[in-house]
Amino acid sequence: MAKITPFKAFRPPRNMVHLVASRSYVSYSRSGLAHKLNTNPYSFIHIINPEFGIKRKTKPNSNQRFENVAKKVQEFIDKGFFIRDNKDTFYLYRQSFHEHQFCGIIAGTSIDDYQNGVIKKHEHTLLKRETVFKTYLETTDINAEPVLMTHPDSANLEAIFERCMKERPEYEFLSSNGANHELWLIQNPEDIQTIQAEYNSFDSLYIADGHHRCASSNLLGQQKRQENPDYTGQEKYNYLMSYIIPESQLWIMEFNRMVEDLNGLSRDEFLDQVRDYFEVSEYKGKKFKPKGYNQIGMYLEGQWYALDAKIGTFDVNHPVEKLDVSILSNNLLDPILGISDLRTDKRVHFVAGDEPLVNMTRQVDSGKMKVAFCLHPITLKQLKEVADNHQYMPPKSTYIEPKIRSGLTLYRISE
């Protein structure tokens, strides 16, 4: 049974939200980041970069840097760039993007559910990253980017949301990537109770994006509980801010791979070894995308190939080993190209599935990369099977939309 809670967000005023809310910090190029900081003093990016324009900077991921982030948050509040709701609220958020529509609520989800397996994960997390972000959350006392989770479709929730969306949205703005953003405040106590009861009927919530944020919030919550043995469970550190949408709306794309070299092999030597694991056939077109599972597209020296995994080279019954990302790693990247750890090997590069294939072919044609691989997207059914069996996918297995704007709602942790 999934437990969720409303909260009182700090958020931009209606007339400023398009200026304050931003893409995730890591999605900006260096030049794009500089432009945003120079031209928009209201952007949430200034909070993540609190020392912009200051010559003497603190060390990244240091307590001093995080303290400066906290000061910048307070500065935004003092200047009126953030206001606060005075009622417990569920934030109904709809994003329309690339003919896709995503609609769900921003709410607090329970760290108890994370620990007992109601909230299910499909990716490994690194303790070092968990600890760094836990320190960030503790020092800044805010969570500004919700974890993306998904749940079974619900006619009851859809009916409530449709009724709420007949009212004028609190926010309605278009971002530079063409996405339309709308947000409504659900503050009626009866609606809140009905929504909570509906979520309480779900056996599981699945993390779609934000595994490290989830793990870090859990670490901090456990620490706070140890520091406050008389905690009631209602304190906000017992929850983490999440954006929860129906399964049918989740858009899962692939993460493609490019490799800088052939591990000392010639083209013919490489292809000979690939044929040990795959049926290799040339493709005459300008771009190739796999037609289905267990087929991988490969671009090498101006030629696209279809790689069909041979029967017996992977475990068809294992939730992870039968995934195409695993087949590529286990049967080609590791044994042939010597890439055993996708997290640390700098020869491998990842390309999100929403980028045109021509971007990869240009990299190979220019000589910057030697070979590129195009994968078939993992399905929600496959993702859930991995999570239900307490397994973990290889790094960069999925690229998932929607991406939520940072700074749209701020969740105060210490209350």
Side-chain angles (χ1 to χ4, degrees), residues 270-283:
F270 171 69
L271 287 173
D272 282 343
Q273 293 194 30
V274 171
R275 290 188 180 96
D276 290 338
Y277 299 92
F278 299 89
E279 299 291 344
V280 180
S281 54
E282 293 186 3
Y283 180 75

Side-chain angles (χ1 to χ4, degrees), residues 77 123 182 211 310 317 347 351 395 408:
I77 293 172
E123 286 184 5
E182 300 164 285
H211 283 77
K310 291 183 177 180
N317 296 312
R347 298 159 54 219
V351 181
L408 196 63

Side-chain angles (χ1 to χ4, degrees), residues 73-301:
V73 171
Q74 190 59 49
E75 179 184 321
F76 267 48
I77 293 172
D78 293 341
K79 288 182 176 180
F81 299 172
F82 285 115
I83 58 175
R84 193 173 197 193
D85 291 307
N86 56 15
K87 296 181 180 179
D88 280 336
T89 306
F90 284 135
Y91 299 89
L92 176 60
Y93 172 58
R94 180 167 67 185
Q95 184 184 130
S96 305
F97 180 60
H98 283 331
E99 299 181 352
H100 289 262
Q101 189 173 99
F102 315 99
C103 185
I105 60 168
I106 301 173
T109 52
S110 169
I111 64 170
D112 287 323
D113 286 350
Y114 180 80
Q115 293 170 56
N116 63 27
V118 170
I119 294 176
K120 296 187 175 181
K121 50 193 175 181
H122 64 268
E123 286 184 5
H124 276 297
T125 53
L126 302 175
L127 183 57
K128 183 177 180 179
R129 285 186 62 189
E130 291 179 24
T131 305
V132 167
F133 194 61
K134 185 207 71 138
T135 303
Y136 169 85
L137 293 173
E138 183 178 16
T139 305
T140 64
D141 198 29
I142 62 157
N143 192 335
E145 189 174 353
V147 172
L148 179 62
M149 297 189 188
T150 189
H151 61 77
D153 287 26
S154 164
N156 292 336
L157 288 177
E158 185 177 349
I160 294 174
F161 296 165
E162 288 293 335
R163 174 167 51 80
C164 292
M165 289 187 292
K166 291 179 180 178
E167 303 295 328
R168 178 191 175 186
E170 177 70 8
Y171 296 153
E172 185 175 16
F173 66 98
L174 191 70
S175 52
S176 58
N177 66 345
N180 189 57
H181 307 263
E182 300 164 285
L183 183 139
W184 293 262
L185 310 183
I186 299 179
Q187 297 178 326
N188 181 289
E190 291 183 3
D191 286 339
I192 288 174
Q193 290 176 9
T194 301
I195 291 170
Q196 287 178 310
E198 187 67 15
Y199 274 92
N200 201 241
S201 71
F202 297 149
D203 292 330
S204 302
L205 299 176
Y206 292 84
I207 302 173
D209 191 19
H211 283 77
H212 280 92
R213 279 171 276 151
C214 214
S216 302
S217 295
N218 177 59
L219 275 182
L220 180 58
Q222 296 306 315
Q223 176 184 306
K224 293 286 187 182
R225 288 178 171 186
Q226 291 177 1
E227 295 170 352
N228 302 279
D230 295 327
Y231 73 91
T232 65
Q234 300 305 309
E235 299 87 355
K236 293 306 178 187
Y237 58 73
N238 293 289
Y239 297 85
L240 59 136
M241 186 170 67
S242 301
Y243 178 44
I244 324 169
I245 65 173
E247 293 176 352
S248 62
Q249 296 181 17
L250 201 65
W251 183 15
I252 305 177
M253 288 169 278
E254 70 278 10
F255 249 119
N256 297 316
R257 279 94 160 105
M258 300 187 298
V259 182
E260 294 180 358
D261 59 68
L262 296 183
N263 198 28
L265 300 172
S266 68
R267 170 186 172 277
D268 290 342
E269 290 170 336
F270 171 69
L271 287 173
D272 282 343
Q273 293 194 30
V274 171
R275 290 188 180 96
D276 290 338
Y277 299 92
F278 299 89
E279 299 291 344
V280 180
S281 54
E282 293 186 3
Y283 180 75
K284 301 301 182 184
K286 293 184 178 179
K287 61 180 180 180
F288 175 80
K289 297 203 76 170
K291 303 297 189 294
Y293 306 124
N294 309 146
Q295 185 180 74
I296 296 165
M298 181 176 74
Y299 187 71
L300 173 68
E301 294 188 6

Side-chain angles (χ1 to χ4, degrees), residues 392-412:
Y392 300 99
M393 294 183 187
K396 301 290 186 182
S397 291
T398 57
Y399 182 81
I400 295 179
E401 292 282 1
K403 303 297 183 189
I404 306 106
R405 308 296 278 189
S406 297
L408 196 63
T409 56
L410 304 189
Y411 180 93
R412 179 76 74 175

